Amino acid sequence: MEVRIENSSDHGSKRKPIKLVEAAVKLMRQEARQAQRNGLKKEFWPQVWCLFDRDQHESIERAMKLAKEADVAVAFLHPCFEVWRLLHHKPVTGTFGGVCDQATTRLPFAKQADNVKIVLPEQITKKGADSFAEAKLSAPSG
């Protein structure tokens, strides 16, 4: 499976859910046009996923609606991105009680990473890749 990560170095408002989804929608349109030009059946078109967490973001509902309309899959991380990443590397028990930074220190690569919010392709484990497939299977259809 080929994995490309877009928007990994943007900061601030460009990392808000609505901005991430808008960028993902643009990418999905480009990928769909290319797939059509190449004569691919729709079932073989690339997938575009958008990952964002709950934190204190506004316009989550608007972002989810826009993604659904554009056929962009969403991995909605609750309570935060850091806990989601940790769950893909080791078993976790207990609660983080809104203190997601505690999860960051428990990531196996935390000391080597300049920014743990940036996902590098070599950090995506088979378990992590499989979770995307599982999320797609369990996502509500509509």
Side-chain angles (χ1 to χ4, degrees):
M1 165 177 49
E2 177 185 340
V3 175
R4 287 186 323 181
I5 299 171
E6 302 281 334
N7 197 26
S8 64
S9 60
D10 282 337
H11 299 284
S13 65
K14 290 185 180 178
R15 295 187 70 93
K16 303 290 184 202
I18 194 67
K19 294 294 185 183
L20 291 169
V21 169
E22 287 170 350
V25 166
K26 181 178 176 182
L27 178 62
M28 185 65 212
R29 288 183 183 139
Q30 292 169 353
E31 292 291 336
R33 277 194 298 273
Q34 187 64 40
Q36 282 179 317
R37 276 190 225 117
N38 291 338
L40 289 176
K41 293 181 182 178
K42 189 161 180 148
E43 64 198 74
F44 298 114
W45 285 13
Q47 295 179 13
V48 174
W49 282 78
C50 189
L51 283 74
F52 53 86
D53 59 12
R54 178 69 198 119
D55 282 345
Q56 301 300 318
H57 298 300
E58 297 177 9
S59 43
I60 297 280
E61 287 180 29
R62 196 169 106 219
M64 297 288 249
K65 182 178 185 288
L66 178 61
K68 184 176 181 177
E69 290 169 353
D71 207 20
V72 169
V74 171
F76 181 64
L77 316 171
H78 188 71
C80 60
F81 183 72
E82 295 81 0
V83 170
W84 179 80
R85 291 204 67 194
L86 182 60
L87 290 170
H88 286 86
H89 289 279
K90 59 172 90 174
V92 176
T93 58
T95 177
F96 287 89
V99 187
C100 293
D101 290 338
Q102 291 176 5
T104 300
T105 61
R106 295 170 63 185
L107 286 165
F109 48 83
K111 289 180 177 61
Q112 296 91 16
D114 291 330
N115 183 348
V116 296
K117 289 197 181 254
I118 296 174
V119 180
L120 302 173
E122 63 269 16
Q123 294 171 340
I124 298 175
T125 62
K126 179 176 181 340
K127 181 179 176 186
D130 290 347
S131 72
F132 286 108
E134 291 169 15
K136 185 158 183 139
L137 290 174
S138 63
S141 59

